[in-house]
Amino acid sequence: MKKPMIGVLPLYDTDKKSYWMLPDYMNAIEGAGGIPIMLPLTTDVEILATLAHEFDGFLFTGGHDLNPDLYHEQTEDACGELCIERDLMESILLQKVIELDKPAFGICRGLQLFNVILGGTLYQDIPTSLQLDVNEIVNHKQNPPYTNLVHDVHIEKNNLLDDILQADTIKVNSYHHQGIKMLSDKLTAVAVAEDGLVESVVMPNQTFVLAVQWHPEYSYTVDHYSQKLFAAFVHAAQSPRYNIHIEDIIA
């Protein structure tokens, strides 16, 4: 069977004005049987429409904080670096991908992007937004190595994530300071941390729109559940009409 072409959203270095990419994203896709290709950073609607049609699936990567303007809030001091061009590109591309029912997998910022573009909001900085000491909550921003798994995530039943992982609770790595505050009414929360923070979402009625707050690309080489996530994503992009056969993924 032909290997699917996976468009990987680019990372951007503002100071150097350069695109860059973490090899973990590419290696995890390749290891799962896909062909990863980093996309250009562009807001050209025609180009993005072409990309949406031509690629078989899309990985929405981590990186910059999302502009709070997108969810109608003022930027707080604890909000991190923004990339307005990336926000615009990804919002246009995500909507086209959804229209075409192409597989979309979001990681960290990717989860936050899905939520915001579909009408949700974010905590701009979890410790300050929740007014909690960092030691009193789940460790959402661990120290390296990121292959270490640092906190539990509880999986809801009867959804795409549950079908893929087939587990009630898994342990994940974690490196983020923002998270979902108000969930989009177009998404369903399918996993939560012990402190109640949403850790994974799916979009009902889409074949494969799934996002996680943790970083399976870092733990892919050592964690069976991380491998299952990428296997399911690539399989969805490979299958005719993007129909997923879970028994093929977990066999």
Side-chain angles (χ1 to χ4, degrees), residues 8 17-18 42 45 81 87 90 107 112-113 133 146 162 172-174 185 203-204 222 226 228 230 243:
V8 183
K17 296 183 178 180
S18 65
T42 178
V45 174
E81 183 182 359
D87 291 346
E90 294 182 358
I107 293 176
Q112 296 160 15
L113 174 90
D133 183 271
Y146 303 120
D162 177 44
V172 301
N173 56 15
S174 194
D185 62 8
M203 189 173 184
V222 298
S226 299
K228 281 187 170 187
F230 279 99
N243 290 325

Side-chain angles (χ1 to χ4, degrees), residues 53-66:
H53 279 88
E54 293 299 322
F55 281 82
D56 300 304
F58 296 85
L59 177 64
F60 289 80
T61 53
H64 295 84
D65 287 355
L66 287 157

Side-chain angles (χ1 to χ4, degrees), residues 23-93:
D24 301 276
Y25 290 124
M26 313 298 267
N27 293 339
I29 291 170
E30 188 174 352
I35 301 174
I37 299 175
M38 187 177 78
L39 302 179
L41 183 63
T42 178
T43 58
D44 185 296
V45 174
E46 185 176 350
I47 292 175
L48 293 172
T50 299
L51 294 173
H53 279 88
E54 293 299 322
F55 281 82
D56 300 304
F58 296 85
L59 177 64
F60 289 80
T61 53
H64 295 84
D65 287 355
L66 287 157
N67 187 351
D69 284 349
L70 293 170
Y71 47 99
H72 311 294
E73 290 189 8
Q74 295 293 318
T75 302
E76 300 171 359
D77 291 341
C79 188
E81 183 182 359
L82 309 178
C83 181
I84 306 303
E85 187 176 10
R86 187 176 173 191
D87 291 346
L88 180 56
M89 172 188 175
E90 294 182 358
S91 66
I92 296 169
L93 182 61

Side-chain angles (χ1 to χ4, degrees), residues 42-209:
T42 178
T43 58
D44 185 296
V45 174
E46 185 176 350
I47 292 175
L48 293 172
T50 299
L51 294 173
H53 279 88
E54 293 299 322
F55 281 82
D56 300 304
F58 296 85
L59 177 64
F60 289 80
T61 53
H64 295 84
D65 287 355
L66 287 157
N67 187 351
D69 284 349
L70 293 170
Y71 47 99
H72 311 294
E73 290 189 8
Q74 295 293 318
T75 302
E76 300 171 359
D77 291 341
C79 188
E81 183 182 359
L82 309 178
C83 181
I84 306 303
E85 187 176 10
R86 187 176 173 191
D87 291 346
L88 180 56
M89 172 188 175
E90 294 182 358
S91 66
I92 296 169
L93 182 61
L94 177 63
Q95 292 176 73
K96 292 187 177 300
V97 168
I98 290 172
E99 289 171 8
L100 294 169
D101 196 21
K102 294 287 186 79
F105 184 26
I107 293 176
C108 196
R109 169 192 160 93
L111 173 138
Q112 296 160 15
L113 174 90
F114 288 11
N115 187 57
V116 167
I117 298 308
L118 295 173
T121 66
L122 301 178
Y123 294 115
Q124 293 189 38
D125 182 65
I126 293 167
T128 56
S129 295
L130 298 180
Q131 298 182 334
L132 293 172
D133 183 271
V134 69
N135 295 318
E136 295 178 359
I137 60 175
V138 173
N139 182 8
H140 288 291
K141 198 170 184 180
Q142 74 184 82
N143 294 320
Y146 303 120
T147 50
N148 289 344
L149 308 178
V150 297
H151 74 75
D152 288 342
V153 164
H154 303 292
I155 313 297
E156 301 293 334
K157 290 296 184 184
N158 302 316
N159 57 74
L160 177 61
L161 183 68
D162 177 44
D163 290 342
I164 294 167
L165 299 184
Q166 296 195 328
D168 295 326
T169 302
I170 65 170
K171 193 169 284 292
V172 301
N173 56 15
S174 194
Y175 189 73
H176 63 105
H177 80 111
Q178 297 195 319
I180 291 177
K181 180 166 62 175
M182 184 187 77
L183 181 68
S184 162
D185 62 8
K186 296 180 176 64
L187 297 172
T188 300
V190 293
V192 296
E194 291 176 306
D195 58 3
L197 193 73
V198 174
E199 289 278 343
S200 181
V201 298
V202 298
M203 189 173 184
N205 304 318
Q206 295 290 127
T207 301
F208 193 106
V209 174

